[in-house]
Amino acid sequence: MSEPISLKLTAKDFKSDQEVRWCPGCGDYAILAAVQGFMPELNIPRERIVFISGIGCSSRFPYYMNTYGMHSIHGRAPAIATGLSATRPDLSVWVVTGDGDALSIGGNHLIHALRRNVNLKILLFNNRIYGLTKGQYSPTSEVGKITKSTPVGSADAPFNPLSLALGAEATFVARTIDSDRKHLQSVLRAAAEHEGSAFVEIYQNCNIFNDGAFDPLKEHGIRDDYLIRLEHGQPITFGKDGQFCVVHPPGGFGLEVRETAATRPEEIVVHDANVTDPAYAFALSRLPGLDLRNTPIGVFRAVERPSYENVVRAQLDAARAEVTETPEQQLAGLLSSGDTWTIL
Amino acid sequence: MSEPISLKLTAKDFKSDQEVRWCPGCGDYAILAAVQGFMPELNIPRERIVFISGIGCSSRFPYYMNTYGMHSIHGRAPAIATGLSATRPDLSVWVVTGDGDALSIGGNHLIHALRRNVNLKILLFNNRIYGLTKGQYSPTSEVGKITKSTPVGSADAPFNPLSLALGAEATFVARTIDSDRKHLQSVLRAAAEHEGSAFVEIYQNCNIFNDGAFDPLKEHGIRDDYLIRLEHGQPITFGKDGQFCVVHPPGGFGLEVRETAATRPEEIVVHDANVTDPAYAFALSRLPGLDLRNTPIGVFRAVERPSYENVVRAQLDAARAEVTETPEQQLAGLLSSGDTWTIL
Amino acid sequence: MSKQIRQLDRVVIRFAGDSGDGMQLTGDRFTSETAQLGNDISTLPNFPAEIRAPAGTLPGVSSFQVHFADYDILTPGDAPNVLVAMNPAALKANLADLPRGADIIVNTDEFTKRNLSKVGYQVNPLDDDTLAGYAVHPVALTSMTIGALADQDVSKKDAERAKNMFALGLLSWMYSRPYESTLRFLERKFARRPELVAANVAAFRAGWNFGETTEDFAVRYEVKPAKMPPGTYRNITGNAALSLGLVAAGVRSGLPVFLGAYPITPASDILHELSKHKKFGVLTMQAEDEIAAVGAALGASYGGALGITTTSGPGVALKSETISLAVALELPLLIVDVQRAGPSTGMPTKTEQADLNLALNGRHGEAPVAVIAPKSPADCFYAALEAARIALTYRTPVILLSDNYVANGSEPWLLPDVNSLPDLRVEFATAPNGEDGSTFLPYLRDPETLARPWAIPGTPGLEHRIGGLEKADKTGDISYDPANHDFMVRTRAARIETIPVPDVEVEDPDGDARVLVLGWGSTYGPIGAACRGLRQRGLSVAQAHLRHLAPMPANLGTVLRSYDRVVIPEMNLGQLAHVIRAKYLVDAIGYNQVRGLPFTAAELETMLEEVLKNV
Amino acid sequence: MSKQIRQLDRVVIRFAGDSGDGMQLTGDRFTSETAQLGNDISTLPNFPAEIRAPAGTLPGVSSFQVHFADYDILTPGDAPNVLVAMNPAALKANLADLPRGADIIVNTDEFTKRNLSKVGYQVNPLDDDTLAGYAVHPVALTSMTIGALADQDVSKKDAERAKNMFALGLLSWMYSRPYESTLRFLERKFARRPELVAANVAAFRAGWNFGETTEDFAVRYEVKPAKMPPGTYRNITGNAALSLGLVAAGVRSGLPVFLGAYPITPASDILHELSKHKKFGVLTMQAEDEIAAVGAALGASYGGALGITTTSGPGVALKSETISLAVALELPLLIVDVQRAGPSTGMPTKTEQADLNLALNGRHGEAPVAVIAPKSPADCFYAALEAARIALTYRTPVILLSDNYVANGSEPWLLPDVNSLPDLRVEFATAPNGEDGSTFLPYLRDPETLARPWAIPGTPGLEHRIGGLEKADKTGDISYDPANHDFMVRTRAARIETIPVPDVEVEDPDGDARVLVLGWGSTYGPIGAACRGLRQRGLSVAQAHLRHLAPMPANLGTVLRSYDRVVIPEMNLGQLAHVIRAKYLVDAIGYNQVRGLPFTAAELETMLEEVLKNV
Ligand SMILES: Cc1ncc(C[n+]2csc(CCOP(=O)(O)OP(=O)(O)O)c2C)c(N)n1
Ligand SMILES: Cc1ncc(C[n+]2csc(CCOP(=O)(O)OP(=O)(O)O)c2C)c(N)n1
Ligand code: SF4
Ligand code: SF4
Ligand SMILES: [Mg+2]
Ligand SMILES: [Mg+2]
């Protein structure tokens, strides 16, 4: 295919006429702006883009995108999007979901979409809280979290969404953050280019019920020492002055952070998102501490595997390749197959 | 606590009066016998043992155990068992489930039980097929599987149940096989000793709809070259003559199999089920090939984390520690808390 | 040696044996031969719940009943005239259903001490008076089969497994069935193992010849072809007909068919069947659960496909929240419920009609959907087409209530002319519909159907958002306006209530009946047979059968009120009766049985006679 | 300067402002002061659907209505006598509800050009004749508050946020409310920031003094205490009362309470409340979804706890399959449905009664459960106890149908004597019950209650297995026997049908009414108020209210048939009316509104007057 003509769309083309109704200051605004700003890059006509969401503050997202969109029910967006994507491979299908929507009620559909590698771009807005229902803990809230439903602290260990996705055979796994538009858009770009499910966790601030959850990753002066920006093919160093690096201690399976100065360059792990074995990305996903130190952002994993639609469409195409009759003739043939008898 | 007196139970005590109704030759028989044979070891009175299952051939299991038992509905056993276990920490609660029951319809409850570390021993009978509904593919069936519902082959990549469990923060993960009673029982023993969720995958032959799925792991003369028997603290070697070993190639994150003869002893990975970082167990879980070569069995991971019931019971106990009133007095106090007024 | 030939107008045969004995196949073949001969037929298989219960036990018994006649029949028959019992368990499990005088062919080889004791026979029933009053034909089926295959190149096990063909041969002889199709079938089935073709054919012929030779079978029977409308027929089960109806709906609508399904008895066969029809562009997806299955179907509908999901009761319960979303989205969606006995897991291989309440009312909020039910196996084809028509035309979820009885039963089906099937083509929205010529109003309705436009993604200029929150009339924007909500709730109700459905037809050949029997779904056959029975005895009774449960036919009230008494037999505790009473304030009485089995014509006849006496 | 004091018998005040303006708190405080004074009260909050919609917009308006009187009242009032409007959006959103002549207190500071245009006011409504006919009191609330706090040690933002206390002070003055409890409340609330205590108290006093001083408020009102039965009262919302009822059920049964819940509006508050009561041994679990929540509750019940799950419509739909299992297992289980407007996500913060169908019929197979509904906020306490009683005594799931209106509304509650609450103790099975003295029969029933034994794990000698497959009578073994299934289905139905529930009481003070108004659930207040209104005008009307929807009271048929006309007002399309018509063949007529709002007494009065005219 030759280079397509540019549709010359702008962010404005992706703004719907609906008033945006998140709380003032909510991280969702920044994500919305970043997505709207990114969309023109896809160079896909608006009518071929669909946003499907579940329920939650984040799931209001489709209303604000001037594309096709469905605000469905709690947790079910990946399932609905799978049916759409399987029957309409010509569309660009995006799922917007929250930590509750995707990982609590919708956990099963999420992991199955990932293993199937359905061609969905799944954006999980992780604010580590239930926003819409006014502040209960979520499956990504830290242990001991005090919320309306856990007045003396929650008892259950949180999911690490990336570990879970990797355990579920995801082919594309990434993390980004609401406050860094450029990074967010770079991850969206990689997701869009991927064939199959792209799972993107976006750290998002809920300034009403979980304010500042990701502050260390955002505050000037601190964030550079906390955030690890993954770049495919590059040694993993970070810190304001690149003073930290990631190494893979011999004999171990996990990753560790060291002082760059005290480390031999060849010891520093060179990021490779394309390794087939998910063990590397899994090890990366375990790096951050509870205090958010050493939080990698960027594309953890992007490997090739045929998407679900490609496989099933190929099966359909193969079956239809032999067909020469009209559908009605085919049907007549089908109805009269097997043992028949005729009464005159 | 001093050593408890032995209850002197035998396997026979755990046989219920119900006729066992699996297909002749089904792997479930062997598992049942192994479990019944193991139970006396627990030295727990029968009335304090509960088996809860979902729906599937495997889920008929509770009927055959002379303990308390519930044959519940498809996929929901972990949820039901969670409620039971949380309110009755004095019981030994076992969940029996199948690959469809646990990983298809019940996937969400499974991963949440694991992250919560509910004190459940979860036995997943994996026959890589839907037995009870007569032979559709399951989430553990290999890609391209031809079944009643996939006449030209299934399109979706299977779950690796152990990887999924590890991605879901499981504290205990193990695999065993129907045909090896001794091994199966050793894994049950380890599971029983673990505080919190113990996830045990049991390879099980469905001789009607997926016969021979695990034959290489069972056949004399072949199995020893296919199976890796994990032993905590031991270097991982296998093969009839220990001719193979598992190494962790420097720089990489995965594991590889080598000839023992060509490997320096210190290169051989020493199995440690207790490492906190799940990355090691995850790497182990990725070892087997599609042809079942290099299949580890045994305990992959067993780490300490307080169980869900321990945390929540502690919260209850703390709250109740201060209580001196009778429940009725407490209630009267609660009812009249807040602003009240009196009309005379 | 030529035997006496006796003419019969109808026969009911039940083949019964162990799950491993191939009784379903035997029954199927006998049915096929019978169909070739032009008899009318109705069949009823009966599977055990276990995949393969221990051999020789009562729970392991599998049976297949076939009723054939020289006139048109409506049921697989109340009671078998002939029982083929391949082992003691089969005899024990089925004996109670046999009227005295019935023929019983038993495989004596299996009446061993061990097998007898497995089912609790202390004494061999062939030896005591257990079978007094029956015409017992003891046949050493197993050993004779093995003997007949002595010189064939097959293992003893394979030889033994051919005993069902021996039985089939014998029965085919007894009822003078043409057997060419069976021979062809065996060739197809064992195409890769010619030695098994030879063995099975030999076993069949041995059975036939045994009938011809032995003294025990003195009479041979004939059942003449039935007078049936001309055309090409095939024998078809409800699940197969339903599947073909769905394929036909795809062809006639020109839409791709998408089936999202999670396996469940007795609906799984529809998934199996549809997954074979990829060349029709039918895409099937085995989802992770029922919620995903209906979700995917809804997603496919949203994208312009005919979205379908197939399941049974427990699955419908799980899908309920998503169906409610589909009601709000006003998109076509077809939910097939092949009912089985509940509650909970119940008796999954048994039939029941107890999901009507769930279909009509099982959603939160006011969430009306259309509900229709087929009345017989072949009717499943047309019911599927009708359900698709309503879903597509009125942009609504439609629940199709089949049940295990019609799903697995079979009957001859006069193949329709494909081009005479309803035209289901739909028009997608392609242009703005607002007054200003540029806005698109996704909830502006067609004044006649009250359907909203179906504007599928990919259509330029119609980008819009839909969702489960209440929508403003016309624009579809989120609205919390009280008056709008009231309006939308009533409009959604009206959308279903005003779907035009055919008037209910009353069969009252005598024209003077005072009692009306009203049914729905699979009770059609037994009710019809019972009414015939009464009429043959000179009694007048009227029969009406509902295909449309929501909305109901416009004339139903008038019909009901023109009878002194309305009786509603149902395989539930009176769910339709409840609705009828509420809607029409008619004192309809229910006749209810919840036994996991279809009604027998005889019991309905007895019950109705009682009612007739008291009007 | 002392002002004129006028006596009133009742007043309805609505506080309205932006979500950030603290109107719920203001309303709550005013209610508390009023309660202290001994008026009867009824309140109605109205939240926006968004967490925090953009400031100053219509969707962002939050309001709280309080009705208080010197006699017992039944509703929060149809139309406010006084509106406090903190900004133009609050004025615009509420104006239509005000009768002419009502007082409107507006915060003029917020009537800026920008704020006006946000809600589409071209011209300031304070300047044109929009408010003609109302008694408008323009008050510069914000600036006066800031002014009053000028010398306090707080930021301007904090000062500004205290303006709701200024408003409260003013209103407290106007209606002569005792304010000590408010001062105490402020001290508690801001315990950690004494400067805020001072600021808020100062703002309150400034408001009070403003009333005292300004000419604009010439009159001060008094509403005398209502004559209420003696005792200690508190003001309580339905959700709080329901939570306390559940705690009480735990205490009175002696069982541990387990709540499995997944958050959903408007039921989440019950989860929040119960999670505070750990010292009662109440264990709450926020599950991963509704299915897990009910599953865990059922697991807890199986283990001998009082298993409860709380949710709203979409959650009940999801729980349906598990409730069907609970029906088969015959274990106690409490499902609380705080209804909201559907279908699908609908209008989650609005009220409706449209889940009755779902509660009664929303399961596959014949799966009957008990259903009960509270009639008022305080009644939620007793309804919870009653639901627990039925669940525990009859070993059955019970669905408790609350709704958003009772859940969030409040009223004074005469605290009960704890020891007079029903005794809910149950007996677990402890010994074999078979005739042989050694077998345990898990499905052997109590002949009176038809309940099966509750044999919890841990009980030696009673080990047994239960499940969702059909069970043989008595033994509970899996059974596919047709007669057994029919028996079990009918027994499960009888188990619910025969639960003794109190007769329905009819209120017909005149004794000659020919029209009966029948209601259920939260419509009690408006129906009662409408009936009173009619009676005060000399018209006779009878009122009956159903607490038990399944089973229904034994005398209901007789009651219904003794009136010429039965009218059933419901916030749905006639779900109870449908059941009543079906069961009793009474031509009950529905009066239905599905607006997300409770009925007003006035509209019911008008409607009933019309009905009375035509009997
Ligand atoms: C079936 C169902 N259960 C529960 C709810 C209530 N509910 C709505 S959103 C939500 C959780 C939202 O959390 P999250 O997904 O993290 O989104 P956020 O609001 O934080 O963006 C819940 C519990 C619902 N709408 N539907
Ligand atoms: C809600 C619901 N959906 C579907 C079914 C049908 N069903 C019963 S078991 C089963 C799958 C069984 O597979 P698996 O869990 O692997 O167990 P196995 O029979 O192989 O041991 C299915 C789909 C059901 N009983 N309930
Ligand atoms: S509640 Fe939190 S997540 Fe929701 S809109 Fe407000 S700030 Fe955003
Ligand atoms: S179908 Fe397979 S899994 Fe089920 S009982 Fe038979 S052999 Fe076992
Ligand atoms: Mg969230
Ligand atoms: Mg399986």
Side-chain angles (χ1 to χ4, degrees), chain D residues 477-527:
Chain D
D477 290 344
I478 301 174
S479 167
Y480 287 88
D481 178 54
N484 176 74
H485 180 54
D486 195 80
F487 175 79
M488 292 295 275
V489 167
R490 290 178 197 273
T491 304
R492 284 186 290 259
R495 223 159 61 84
I496 300 299
E497 267 317 310
T498 59
I499 293 172
V501 300
D503 273 355
V504 67
E505 282 169 28
V506 181
E507 206 190 317
D508 178 10
D510 304 315
D512 62 354
R514 296 171 55 206
V515 170
L516 175 76
V517 200
L518 180 71
W520 68 279
S522 77
T523 52
Y524 176 75
I527 295 176

Side-chain angles (χ1 to χ4, degrees), chain A residues 19-23 55 60 73-74 76 104-105 130-132 136-137 148-149 151 208, chain D residues 50-52 54 57 59 262-263 268 271-272 275 278 286-290 318 344-345:
Chain A
E19 193 187 353
V20 185
R21 292 211 191 137
W22 288 304
C23 306
I55 300 284
R60 289 290 179 109
I73 45 176
H74 200 30
R76 316 301 172 190
S104 200
I105 192 167
Y130 284 3
L132 190 71
Q136 300 83 8
Y137 81 119
K148 285 195 185 131
S149 58
I208 301 296
Chain D
E50 279 78 22
I51 303 302
R52 207 144 293 179
T57 61
Y262 188 70
S268 309
L271 165 63
H272 304 160
S275 63
K278 297 199 167 36
Q286 181 178 313
E288 59 269 26
D289 62 19
E290 281 86 353
L318 287 167
S344 196
T345 313

Side-chain angles (χ1 to χ4, degrees), chain B residues 19-24 29 55 57 60 72-74 76 100-101 104-105 130-134 136-138 148-152 156 208-209, chain C residues 47-55 57 59 262-265 268-269 271-273 275-276 278 284-291 318 344-345:
Chain B
E19 189 187 356
V20 186
R21 294 213 190 136
W22 289 304
C23 305
Y29 283 98
I55 300 285
C57 294
R60 289 289 180 108
S72 75
I73 45 176
H74 200 29
R76 316 301 172 192
D101 194 59
S104 201
I105 192 167
Y130 284 4
L132 191 72
T133 47
K134 306 199 177 172
Q136 300 83 10
Y137 81 118
S138 93
K148 284 195 186 135
S149 58
T150 50
V152 298
D156 21 1
I208 301 296
F209 297 112
Chain C
F47 315 107
E50 280 78 21
I51 302 303
R52 209 145 293 178
T57 63
Y262 188 69
I264 189 167
T265 306
S268 308
D269 283 337
L271 165 63
H272 304 159
E273 180 65 26
S275 63
K276 289 182 205 154
K278 297 198 168 38
T284 56
M285 172 184 170
Q286 181 178 313
E288 59 269 27
D289 62 19
E290 281 86 353
I291 305 179
L318 288 167
S344 196
T345 313

Side-chain angles (χ1 to χ4, degrees), chain B residues 312-331:
Chain B
V312 297
R313 304 300 318 175
Q315 292 181 344
L316 286 191
D317 291 346
R320 307 186 67 155
E322 308 147 21
V323 176
T324 52
E325 300 164 302
T326 66
E328 262 77 10
Q329 287 169 330
Q330 259 184 285
L331 180 60

Side-chain angles (χ1 to χ4, degrees), chain B residues 30-39 51 61 65 123 184-185 188:
Chain B
I31 305 176
L32 176 63
V35 173
Q36 286 169 335
F38 166 71
M39 283 286 123
F51 277 80
F61 200 92
M65 295 294 301
L123 312 183
L184 210 164
Q185 293 184 335
L188 296 179

Side-chain angles (χ1 to χ4, degrees), chain D residues 99 165 307 351 358 497 519 587:
Chain D
M165 284 300 120
T351 199
L358 178 66
E497 267 317 310
D587 192 5

